[in-house]
Amino acid sequence: MDSAEDSFDEIMAQAGNDNKFQNRYNLFFNFGAICFASMTYMSIILALNKPPHNCHVPGMERYNITDADLWKNLTLPRETDNRGLLGYSKCQMYNVTEQHLQRHYSEWQFNSSDIIDCAYGYDYDRTYYDRTPITEYDWICDKGFRETNIFIYNRLGELFGTVVFGHLGDTLGRRPVFYLSVVMITVGRLVSMFTAAYYAVFCVAAVFGSLTAHSIFQAPLIIAMEISKSERRGHISMMQCIGWTTGVCLLPMVFWATKDWFWSLLIATLPIVMFIHIPGYTIESPRWLATRGNYREAMVQLQQIAKVNGIRELPFDERVLEKRLANHRTDTVYGLASLFNGWRMTKNTVLVILCWTVCSVTYFTLVLLSSRMDGNPFLNFMYQGLIEVPAAFLGQRASDRLGRRATNASAFCVATVTCAILVLIVRDPASETAATILATFVKFCISITFFAVNLQSIEIYPTCLRQTGMAVGTIAATIFGIVGPYVVHLGTEYDVRYPFLVMGLSSAVGIMAALFLPETLHQSLPNTIEEAQKFGKEQRFWSLPKAPKSRPAGMQKNRHESDEKTEESIRLTVPEGNPVSKGAK
């Protein structure tokens, strides 16, 4: 007889675990929905981009001066920038009074005591942005931390939301959490658009939209994993990566086309709503329903999948389903605490947390840096997005051939070395192109690690804790990721080397964490806590994963014969006149 963990896989195979339904579900939700979800989620970063700026000093027209640099040279003091180069002050000016303006500018003389804060507003470089909340309400200089603080508040919102909605995904269900995630992120972004003049309200709306920032991606991914055969998990994850990357690349083009944060946010936000209901494909995970003991509804979902896959009638009914999946019933779970049930689960959870933390801090530091580097912010943002496409393909190939563990650790190692090189060259203006290429390459490596650790997070936890398990990694990543915006602030305002130093040291920690996670390639998904506690126990550290041998035809035949005998015994126990239906009623 088959082991318990194989039972649902065989049931899923009879309904079709790699057919039209799975392909269409991935196209709709793990590509289409994720594409627009990533645009909605990341839009706040580009909307809060800080254009180059200086103090506005009136009087230039009195002297018919048309050269802006000449006027800056007359009215603005000098200061060193984050590369150690001398440039014009961003937040201070010389105190040009009416007495100065009555004389020719060649007679002006200023010293350090004449330097004051900007008194007449600011001049912004509007090459790429006509309007943002920062340019409209001057969130710079003494208000410069407003932008950084909003990113911090968003991360705190993600933290709280991940705890709540990760747990709800395993108790309330994957489907309702996805619906709620779409509604909340949409409402949050739309309210933000109309409240930028009220900073506190804007922050609350931004945080509200960030509460479901992770669950909106996790729910459809987990459903797809739980209705597909194990060999397709890498492909499913790659589909979501491509969907994410497509959205990340389209978003800066929207901003570039409009040059206005309000209309860009509107265009980026509204399309996700159409994925709330797609008839025939907005299903709940039958595997999750079975672990909750809801066999009737699980049967309904299986029949829906089988129908799309061209299977008219399933060779089992609700009672057979209950009998075969009796060992899949949910253990008593206590939310996040259940992830630390036993030494092996505790070790795996801690290592997953470390990997997620390093990935998240590095990834979002690079994202924030990309729109604040010299040059076109939209192209910089898009280039770092585009690099995720080959990263997804390479990540999928490597994860499915070498294993998740080797892929994860190798990518962290390369990222560490690249960050070390960046620390040495990034302050040199002559190395700007090389620094941009290397920073993009770090993003490539981190995208590979994201791919691998995302798979591992799904595959090492039992069905009753799968979304909670994914959530705990993002929770920890969010807690430590709060430092990311401040690291970027240090890099843009003080020393450009700081972000790469932090990312390099973090990646070195990631190498060790990745090496000691169990290999999940070719392993069945654990369904109970007991199975998860044993996961990886027999694995050797230096071994590479091997594909399991295919099941002999005789064993398959015995299984079908066993199913027929089970159905026959159930029919004999049912009173006459009360036949068992072929599906849920």
Side-chain angles (χ1 to χ4, degrees):
M1 190 170 180
D2 291 342
S3 61
E5 64 266 22
D6 292 331
S7 299
F8 190 88
D9 291 337
E10 286 204 6
I11 287 171
M12 203 61 245
Q14 291 173 329
N17 60 5
D18 186 21
N19 213 315
K20 290 180 181 178
F21 186 92
Q22 283 77 10
N23 292 335
R24 293 173 185 175
Y25 185 91
N26 284 321
L27 183 62
F28 291 146
F29 294 100
N30 283 315
F31 177 78
I34 297 306
C35 171
F36 292 111
S38 67
M39 291 179 68
T40 306
Y41 173 53
M42 301 291 278
S43 59
I44 196 71
I45 294 176
L46 285 177
L48 293 178
N49 195 10
K50 188 182 294 182
H53 57 87
N54 300 105
C55 295
H56 173 72
V57 183
M60 181 175 170
E61 65 283 352
R62 290 196 183 190
Y63 300 100
N64 294 320
I65 294 176
T66 57
D67 186 352
D69 285 335
L70 173 60
W71 188 247
K72 287 180 181 179
N73 192 49
L74 291 168
T75 59
L76 301 179
R78 297 296 187 97
E79 63 182 16
T80 55
D81 61 14
N82 62 342
R83 294 177 183 269
L85 302 176
L86 198 63
Y88 297 114
S89 175
K90 298 178 181 178
C91 300
Q92 292 184 315
M93 56 178 278
Y94 289 123
N95 188 14
V96 180
T97 64
E98 186 63 31
Q99 288 76 15
H100 289 95
L101 295 175
Q102 290 175 358
R103 303 193 306 269
H104 192 267
Y105 58 78
S106 61
E107 301 177 17
W108 294 357
Q109 288 185 345
F110 298 103
N111 54 45
S112 58
S113 62
D114 295 314
I115 298 175
I116 62 173
D117 293 336
C118 297
Y120 306 100
Y122 304 89
D123 290 325
Y124 294 95
D125 183 347
R126 299 186 185 271
T127 304
Y128 300 109
Y129 286 93
D130 284 335
R131 185 168 63 131
T132 73
I134 290 176
T135 61
E136 282 190 286
Y137 304 105
D138 293 334
W139 292 355
I140 53 175
C141 298
D142 59 326
K143 298 179 181 178
F145 269 100
R146 286 194 172 189
E147 167 216 13
T148 301
N149 287 339
I150 289 171
F151 292 134
I152 300 302
Y153 301 150
N154 278 357
R155 300 296 279 177
L156 291 172
E158 291 174 27
L159 170 63
F160 179 76
T162 303
V163 173
V164 173
F165 293 101
H167 180 64
L168 287 178
D170 286 328
T171 54
L172 186 63
R174 299 25 168 147
R175 179 171 57 183
V177 165
F178 177 72
Y179 290 162
L180 194 56
S181 299
V182 171
V183 171
M184 290 183 68
I185 197 171
T186 303
V187 171
R189 290 292 183 261
L190 292 177
V191 173
S192 296
M193 291 164 48
F194 295 94
T195 57
Y198 310 97
Y199 180 68
V201 180
F202 183 90
C203 289
V204 171
V207 170
F208 185 81
S210 299
L211 290 173
T212 57
H214 294 297
S215 57
I216 198 171
F217 300 103
Q218 292 171 353
L221 179 64
I222 291 174
I223 291 175
M225 294 282 192
E226 292 180 340
I227 64 172
S228 303
K229 64 181 182 179
S230 61
E231 292 84 355
R232 298 293 285 174
R233 292 178 205 153
H235 174 78
I236 295 166
S237 189
M238 184 183 70
M239 283 286 289
Q240 189 166 98
C241 287
I242 294 174
W244 166 275
T245 302
T246 302
V248 168
C249 292
L250 287 175
L251 179 65
M253 297 301 101
V254 171
F255 272 83
W256 199 359
T258 65
K259 300 179 72 173
D260 188 299
W261 78 280
F262 182 92
W263 295 110
S264 296
L265 237 64
L266 186 67
I267 294 170
T269 299
L270 289 181
I272 186 63
V273 178
M274 66 183 176
F275 292 93
I276 286 182
H277 182 62
I278 299 179
Y281 293 93
T282 48
I283 66 162
E284 181 57 89
S285 167
R287 185 190 290 263
W288 176 83
L289 289 166
T291 65
R292 305 291 294 182
N294 192 350
Y295 301 107
R296 179 182 295 273
E297 186 60 27
M299 194 70 199
V300 171
Q301 304 303 311
L302 287 168
Q303 287 174 328
Q304 190 169 332
I305 294 170
K307 181 180 177 181
V308 175
N309 286 336
I311 300 171
R312 294 185 177 181
E313 188 173 350
L314 292 172
F316 52 84
D317 59 17
E318 181 185 330
R319 292 195 179 187
V320 174
L321 194 67
E322 180 175 1
K323 189 174 183 67
R324 287 180 58 179
L325 299 181
N327 293 330
H328 288 59
R329 288 296 298 270
T330 303
D331 308 80
T332 301
V333 296
Y334 303 97
L336 295 177
S338 295
L339 300 175
F340 299 90
N341 192 333
W343 156 248
R344 193 162 297 279
M345 279 189 70
T346 300
K347 183 200 77 170
N348 291 343
T349 299
V350 170
L351 294 175
V352 164
I353 285 173
L354 283 173
C355 287
W356 268 106
T357 299
V358 175
C359 284
S360 182
V361 170
T362 307
Y363 185 94
F364 285 102
T365 299
L366 285 166
V367 168
L368 290 172
L369 277 175
S370 68
S371 60
R372 286 148 183 80
M373 294 170 67
D374 293 337
N376 188 319
F378 307 123
L379 289 180
N380 290 339
F381 197 92
M382 187 185 70
Y383 291 152
Q384 287 210 8
L386 279 175
I387 201 64
E388 295 183 38
V389 176
F393 278 101
L394 181 60
Q396 191 244 327
R397 291 295 182 90
S399 294
D400 286 347
R401 293 189 179 185
L402 302 177
R404 291 41 162 148
R405 182 174 60 183
T407 301
N408 200 2
S410 299
F412 270 135
C413 185
V414 177
T416 302
V417 174
T418 308
C419 285
I421 297 172
L422 276 163
V423 170
L424 298 176
I425 71 167
V426 72
R427 293 194 77 180
D428 184 1
S431 303
E432 183 177 327
T433 301
T436 301
I437 293 171
L438 288 175
T440 304
F441 183 68
V442 174
K443 179 80 174 296
F444 174 82
C445 296
I446 294 302
S447 297
I448 293 175
T449 64
F450 247 129
F451 187 95
V453 75
N454 200 40
L455 281 175
Q456 288 172 305
S457 300
I458 293 172
E459 294 171 338
I460 67 173
Y461 291 115
T463 304
C464 57
L465 286 170
R466 191 155 292 129
Q467 191 153 347
T468 302
M470 285 194 71
V472 73
T474 55
I475 289 167
T478 303
I479 292 173
F480 292 101
I482 288 172
V483 306
Y486 288 123
V487 171
V488 173
H489 183 78
L490 289 174
T492 54
E493 299 297 330
Y494 297 100
D495 195 317
V496 72
R497 294 174 296 183
Y498 289 159
F500 299 104
L501 182 62
V502 171
M503 288 187 286
L505 294 174
S506 300
S507 297
V509 174
I511 297 171
M512 300 307 298
L515 284 173
F516 290 97
L517 271 172
E519 181 55 66
T520 59
L521 178 60
H522 303 311
Q523 304 295 315
S524 296
L525 294 176
N527 288 295
T528 65
I529 290 178
E530 183 182 0
E531 292 172 15
Q533 289 172 333
K534 299 176 182 177
F535 193 88
K537 185 176 181 181
E538 306 299 328
Q539 291 182 9
R540 290 181 299 175
F541 183 81
W542 296 109
S543 62
L544 288 175
K546 295 181 180 179
K549 296 180 180 178
S550 59
R551 186 187 303 275
M555 291 183 68
Q556 292 283 5
K557 182 178 179 182
N558 290 340
R559 161 60 76 186
H560 297 315
E561 289 175 354
S562 175
D563 289 344
E564 291 171 4
K565 289 178 181 179
T566 301
E567 293 178 13
E568 180 64 25
S569 66
I570 289 175
R571 282 197 296 271
L572 292 175
T573 60
V574 177
E576 192 171 342
N578 184 27
V580 178
S581 73
K582 286 291 181 183
K585 293 186 179 179

mmCIF file of all heavy atoms in Angstrom, residues 175 283-284 286 289 294-307 314 316 318 321 582-585:
data_model
loop_
_atom_site.group_PDB
_atom_site.id
_atom_site.type_symbol
_atom_site.label_atom_id
_atom_site.label_comp_id
_atom_site.label_asym_id
_atom_site.label_seq_id
_atom_site.Cartn_x
_atom_site.Cartn_y
_atom_site.Cartn_z
ATOM 1 N N ARG A 175 -8.111 30.749 -1.057
ATOM 2 C CA ARG A 175 -8.928 31.555 -1.970
ATOM 3 C C ARG A 175 -9.476 32.823 -1.315
ATOM 4 O O ARG A 175 -9.312 33.922 -1.885
ATOM 5 C CB ARG A 175 -10.064 30.705 -2.534
ATOM 6 C CG ARG A 175 -10.991 31.461 -3.475
ATOM 7 C CD ARG A 175 -11.962 30.526 -4.185
ATOM 8 N NE ARG A 175 -12.762 29.764 -3.237
ATOM 9 C CZ ARG A 175 -13.648 28.831 -3.596
ATOM 10 N NH1 ARG A 175 -13.824 28.555 -4.890
ATOM 11 N NH2 ARG A 175 -14.339 28.169 -2.695
ATOM 12 N N ILE A 283 -10.548 28.567 -7.712
ATOM 13 C CA ILE A 283 -10.815 27.405 -6.863
ATOM 14 C C ILE A 283 -10.111 27.537 -5.517
ATOM 15 O O ILE A 283 -9.234 28.378 -5.338
ATOM 16 C CB ILE A 283 -10.350 26.100 -7.537
ATOM 17 C CG1 ILE A 283 -8.816 26.092 -7.672
ATOM 18 C CG2 ILE A 283 -11.023 25.894 -8.875
ATOM 19 C CD1 ILE A 283 -8.235 24.721 -7.904
ATOM 20 N N GLU A 284 -10.531 26.698 -4.576
ATOM 21 C CA GLU A 284 -9.792 26.499 -3.335
ATOM 22 C C GLU A 284 -8.948 25.241 -3.499
ATOM 23 O O GLU A 284 -9.279 24.353 -4.293
ATOM 24 C CB GLU A 284 -10.755 26.345 -2.157
ATOM 25 C CG GLU A 284 -10.090 26.163 -0.802
ATOM 26 C CD GLU A 284 -9.140 27.286 -0.449
ATOM 27 O OE1 GLU A 284 -9.591 28.281 0.159
ATOM 28 O OE2 GLU A 284 -7.943 27.169 -0.789
ATOM 29 N N PRO A 286 -7.906 21.735 -3.121
ATOM 30 C CA PRO A 286 -8.536 20.512 -2.600
ATOM 31 C C PRO A 286 -7.654 19.793 -1.575
ATOM 32 O O PRO A 286 -8.155 19.135 -0.669
ATOM 33 C CB PRO A 286 -8.752 19.659 -3.852
ATOM 34 C CG PRO A 286 -7.804 20.194 -4.864
ATOM 35 C CD PRO A 286 -7.663 21.649 -4.571
ATOM 36 N N LEU A 289 -8.408 21.537 1.642
ATOM 37 C CA LEU A 289 -9.751 21.161 2.106
ATOM 38 C C LEU A 289 -9.748 19.772 2.725
ATOM 39 O O LEU A 289 -10.414 19.525 3.736
ATOM 40 C CB LEU A 289 -10.737 21.220 0.943
ATOM 41 C CG LEU A 289 -11.099 22.625 0.436
ATOM 42 C CD1 LEU A 289 -11.799 22.535 -0.912
ATOM 43 C CD2 LEU A 289 -11.975 23.365 1.449
ATOM 44 N N ASN A 294 -12.883 18.588 5.059
ATOM 45 C CA ASN A 294 -14.004 19.019 4.217
ATOM 46 C C ASN A 294 -13.940 18.264 2.886
ATOM 47 O O ASN A 294 -13.628 18.832 1.839
ATOM 48 C CB ASN A 294 -13.932 20.530 3.991
ATOM 49 C CG ASN A 294 -15.211 21.094 3.380
ATOM 50 O OD1 ASN A 294 -16.086 20.340 2.950
ATOM 51 N ND2 ASN A 294 -15.306 22.408 3.336
ATOM 52 N N TYR A 295 -14.244 16.968 2.930
ATOM 53 C CA TYR A 295 -14.107 16.120 1.745
ATOM 54 C C TYR A 295 -15.153 16.438 0.685
ATOM 55 O O TYR A 295 -14.904 16.263 -0.504
ATOM 56 C CB TYR A 295 -14.185 14.650 2.156
ATOM 57 C CG TYR A 295 -13.125 14.265 3.156
ATOM 58 C CD1 TYR A 295 -13.448 14.030 4.492
ATOM 59 C CD2 TYR A 295 -11.793 14.175 2.782
ATOM 60 C CE1 TYR A 295 -12.467 13.697 5.423
ATOM 61 C CE2 TYR A 295 -10.809 13.842 3.700
ATOM 62 C CZ TYR A 295 -11.151 13.603 5.026
ATOM 63 O OH TYR A 295 -10.179 13.288 5.927
ATOM 64 N N ARG A 296 -16.320 16.876 1.124
ATOM 65 C CA ARG A 296 -17.368 17.220 0.156
ATOM 66 C C ARG A 296 -16.904 18.358 -0.761
ATOM 67 O O ARG A 296 -16.994 18.266 -1.985
ATOM 68 C CB ARG A 296 -18.641 17.620 0.897
ATOM 69 C CG ARG A 296 -19.805 18.023 -0.033
ATOM 70 C CD ARG A 296 -21.011 18.449 0.770
ATOM 71 N NE ARG A 296 -21.534 17.317 1.544
ATOM 72 C CZ ARG A 296 -22.413 16.439 1.069
ATOM 73 N NH1 ARG A 296 -22.844 16.563 -0.179
ATOM 74 N NH2 ARG A 296 -22.840 15.450 1.810
ATOM 75 N N GLU A 297 -16.393 19.440 -0.158
ATOM 76 C CA GLU A 297 -15.939 20.569 -0.963
ATOM 77 C C GLU A 297 -14.672 20.207 -1.744
ATOM 78 O O GLU A 297 -14.469 20.681 -2.872
ATOM 79 C CB GLU A 297 -15.686 21.780 -0.070
ATOM 80 C CG GLU A 297 -15.332 23.059 -0.831
ATOM 81 C CD GLU A 297 -16.421 23.510 -1.799
ATOM 82 O OE1 GLU A 297 -17.608 23.201 -1.560
ATOM 83 O OE2 GLU A 297 -16.078 24.168 -2.796
ATOM 84 N N ALA A 298 -13.804 19.378 -1.154
ATOM 85 C CA ALA A 298 -12.614 18.927 -1.880
ATOM 86 C C ALA A 298 -13.014 18.183 -3.137
ATOM 87 O O ALA A 298 -12.379 18.324 -4.199
ATOM 88 C CB ALA A 298 -11.758 18.037 -0.985
ATOM 89 N N MET A 299 -14.082 17.375 -3.031
ATOM 90 C CA MET A 299 -14.574 16.636 -4.194
ATOM 91 C C MET A 299 -15.093 17.584 -5.273
ATOM 92 O O MET A 299 -14.876 17.371 -6.469
ATOM 93 C CB MET A 299 -15.683 15.672 -3.747
ATOM 94 C CG MET A 299 -16.040 14.631 -4.776
ATOM 95 S SD MET A 299 -14.716 13.421 -4.993
ATOM 96 C CE MET A 299 -15.168 12.755 -6.604
ATOM 97 N N VAL A 300 -15.771 18.650 -4.826
ATOM 98 C CA VAL A 300 -16.272 19.644 -5.780
ATOM 99 C C VAL A 300 -15.118 20.265 -6.557
ATOM 100 O O VAL A 300 -15.174 20.414 -7.785
ATOM 101 C CB VAL A 300 -17.083 20.737 -5.047
ATOM 102 C CG1 VAL A 300 -17.417 21.878 -6.001
ATOM 103 C CG2 VAL A 300 -18.356 20.161 -4.462
ATOM 104 N N GLN A 301 -14.051 20.636 -5.851
ATOM 105 C CA GLN A 301 -12.898 21.259 -6.508
ATOM 106 C C GLN A 301 -12.198 20.280 -7.447
ATOM 107 O O GLN A 301 -11.779 20.651 -8.547
ATOM 108 C CB GLN A 301 -11.910 21.770 -5.457
ATOM 109 C CG GLN A 301 -12.497 22.731 -4.433
ATOM 110 C CD GLN A 301 -13.139 23.951 -5.060
ATOM 111 O OE1 GLN A 301 -12.552 24.608 -5.920
ATOM 112 N NE2 GLN A 301 -14.356 24.264 -4.640
ATOM 113 N N LEU A 302 -12.084 19.018 -7.033
ATOM 114 C CA LEU A 302 -11.463 18.009 -7.890
ATOM 115 C C LEU A 302 -12.270 17.785 -9.153
ATOM 116 O O LEU A 302 -11.716 17.618 -10.247
ATOM 117 C CB LEU A 302 -11.299 16.693 -7.118
ATOM 118 C CG LEU A 302 -10.205 16.691 -6.045
ATOM 119 C CD1 LEU A 302 -10.339 15.451 -5.159
ATOM 120 C CD2 LEU A 302 -8.817 16.733 -6.675
ATOM 121 N N GLN A 303 -13.602 17.783 -9.024
ATOM 122 C CA GLN A 303 -14.453 17.609 -10.206
ATOM 123 C C GLN A 303 -14.334 18.798 -11.148
ATOM 124 O O GLN A 303 -14.356 18.636 -12.374
ATOM 125 C CB GLN A 303 -15.906 17.427 -9.766
ATOM 126 C CG GLN A 303 -16.186 16.067 -9.143
ATOM 127 C CD GLN A 303 -17.594 15.965 -8.594
ATOM 128 O OE1 GLN A 303 -18.169 16.955 -8.141
ATOM 129 N NE2 GLN A 303 -18.148 14.769 -8.619
ATOM 130 N N GLN A 304 -14.185 19.988 -10.581
ATOM 131 C CA GLN A 304 -14.021 21.186 -11.403
ATOM 132 C C GLN A 304 -12.715 21.114 -12.189
ATOM 133 O O GLN A 304 -12.666 21.466 -13.376
ATOM 134 C CB GLN A 304 -14.036 22.423 -10.497
ATOM 135 C CG GLN A 304 -14.116 23.745 -11.248
ATOM 136 C CD GLN A 304 -14.387 24.907 -10.310
ATOM 137 O OE1 GLN A 304 -14.998 24.735 -9.260
ATOM 138 N NE2 GLN A 304 -13.937 26.089 -10.681
ATOM 139 N N ILE A 305 -11.655 20.664 -11.534
ATOM 140 C CA ILE A 305 -10.365 20.508 -12.208
ATOM 141 C C ILE A 305 -10.455 19.436 -13.282
ATOM 142 O O ILE A 305 -9.985 19.618 -14.417
ATOM 143 C CB ILE A 305 -9.275 20.152 -11.176
ATOM 144 C CG1 ILE A 305 -9.038 21.326 -10.217
ATOM 145 C CG2 ILE A 305 -7.967 19.772 -11.870
ATOM 146 C CD1 ILE A 305 -8.176 20.986 -9.030
ATOM 147 N N ALA A 306 -11.070 18.288 -12.930
ATOM 148 C CA ALA A 306 -11.179 17.174 -13.880
ATOM 149 C C ALA A 306 -11.996 17.560 -15.105
ATOM 150 O O ALA A 306 -11.669 17.165 -16.233
ATOM 151 C CB ALA A 306 -11.816 15.969 -13.180
ATOM 152 N N LYS A 307 -13.051 18.349 -14.902
ATOM 153 C CA LYS A 307 -13.901 18.761 -16.017
ATOM 154 C C LYS A 307 -13.111 19.554 -17.051
ATOM 155 O O LYS A 307 -13.210 19.304 -18.262
ATOM 156 C CB LYS A 307 -15.074 19.596 -15.493
ATOM 157 C CG LYS A 307 -16.039 20.057 -16.567
ATOM 158 C CD LYS A 307 -17.176 20.882 -15.961
ATOM 159 C CE LYS A 307 -18.110 21.396 -17.046
ATOM 160 N NZ LYS A 307 -19.201 22.229 -16.462
ATOM 161 N N LEU A 314 -14.781 11.007 -12.226
ATOM 162 C CA LEU A 314 -13.662 10.551 -11.423
ATOM 163 C C LEU A 314 -13.908 9.141 -10.898
ATOM 164 O O LEU A 314 -15.066 8.786 -10.599
ATOM 165 C CB LEU A 314 -13.445 11.499 -10.238
ATOM 166 C CG LEU A 314 -12.947 12.908 -10.603
ATOM 167 C CD1 LEU A 314 -12.958 13.818 -9.376
ATOM 168 C CD2 LEU A 314 -11.541 12.853 -11.194
ATOM 169 N N PHE A 316 -13.645 7.822 -8.138
ATOM 170 C CA PHE A 316 -13.862 7.768 -6.695
ATOM 171 C C PHE A 316 -14.900 8.821 -6.334
ATOM 172 O O PHE A 316 -15.200 9.720 -7.128
ATOM 173 C CB PHE A 316 -12.560 8.028 -5.922
ATOM 174 C CG PHE A 316 -11.842 9.290 -6.329
ATOM 175 C CD1 PHE A 316 -12.204 10.521 -5.786
ATOM 176 C CD2 PHE A 316 -10.807 9.265 -7.261
ATOM 177 C CE1 PHE A 316 -11.565 11.677 -6.165
ATOM 178 C CE2 PHE A 316 -10.162 10.428 -7.649
ATOM 179 C CZ PHE A 316 -10.539 11.635 -7.101
ATOM 180 N N GLU A 318 -16.904 10.945 -2.688
ATOM 181 C CA GLU A 318 -16.556 11.610 -1.441
ATOM 182 C C GLU A 318 -16.133 10.634 -0.348
ATOM 183 O O GLU A 318 -15.175 10.878 0.384
ATOM 184 C CB GLU A 318 -17.755 12.433 -0.973
ATOM 185 C CG GLU A 318 -17.519 13.208 0.303
ATOM 186 C CD GLU A 318 -18.788 13.908 0.759
ATOM 187 O OE1 GLU A 318 -19.612 14.270 -0.093
ATOM 188 O OE2 GLU A 318 -18.939 14.079 1.983
ATOM 189 N N LEU A 321 -12.782 9.201 -1.031
ATOM 190 C CA LEU A 321 -11.810 10.258 -0.775
ATOM 191 C C LEU A 321 -11.506 10.345 0.722
ATOM 192 O O LEU A 321 -10.338 10.424 1.133
ATOM 193 C CB LEU A 321 -12.368 11.594 -1.270
ATOM 194 C CG LEU A 321 -11.391 12.765 -1.390
ATOM 195 C CD1 LEU A 321 -10.362 12.505 -2.475
ATOM 196 C CD2 LEU A 321 -12.148 14.051 -1.688
ATOM 197 N N LYS A 582 -21.788 10.506 -7.074
ATOM 198 C CA LYS A 582 -20.448 10.495 -7.654
ATOM 199 C C LYS A 582 -19.686 11.771 -7.325
ATOM 200 O O LYS A 582 -18.543 11.920 -7.664
ATOM 201 C CB LYS A 582 -20.550 10.344 -9.180
ATOM 202 C CG LYS A 582 -20.915 8.949 -9.612
ATOM 203 C CD LYS A 582 -19.796 7.973 -9.346
ATOM 204 C CE LYS A 582 -20.133 6.570 -9.806
ATOM 205 N NZ LYS A 582 -19.069 5.628 -9.479
ATOM 206 N N GLY A 583 -20.301 12.701 -6.710
ATOM 207 C CA GLY A 583 -19.594 13.935 -6.355
ATOM 208 C C GLY A 583 -20.270 14.582 -5.182
ATOM 209 O O GLY A 583 -21.212 14.059 -4.607
ATOM 210 N N ALA A 584 -19.802 15.730 -4.811
ATOM 211 C CA ALA A 584 -20.382 16.464 -3.698
ATOM 212 C C ALA A 584 -21.703 17.065 -4.129
ATOM 213 O O ALA A 584 -21.870 17.501 -5.248
ATOM 214 C CB ALA A 584 -19.418 17.555 -3.248
ATOM 215 N N LYS A 585 -22.684 17.028 -3.236
ATOM 216 C CA LYS A 585 -23.987 17.605 -3.565
ATOM 217 C C LYS A 585 -24.169 18.907 -2.827
ATOM 218 O O LYS A 585 -23.760 19.050 -1.724
ATOM 219 C CB LYS A 585 -25.101 16.634 -3.156
ATOM 220 C CG LYS A 585 -25.085 15.357 -4.001
ATOM 221 C CD LYS A 585 -26.277 14.498 -3.659
ATOM 222 C CE LYS A 585 -26.310 13.222 -4.501
ATOM 223 N NZ LYS A 585 -27.423 12.370 -4.182
#
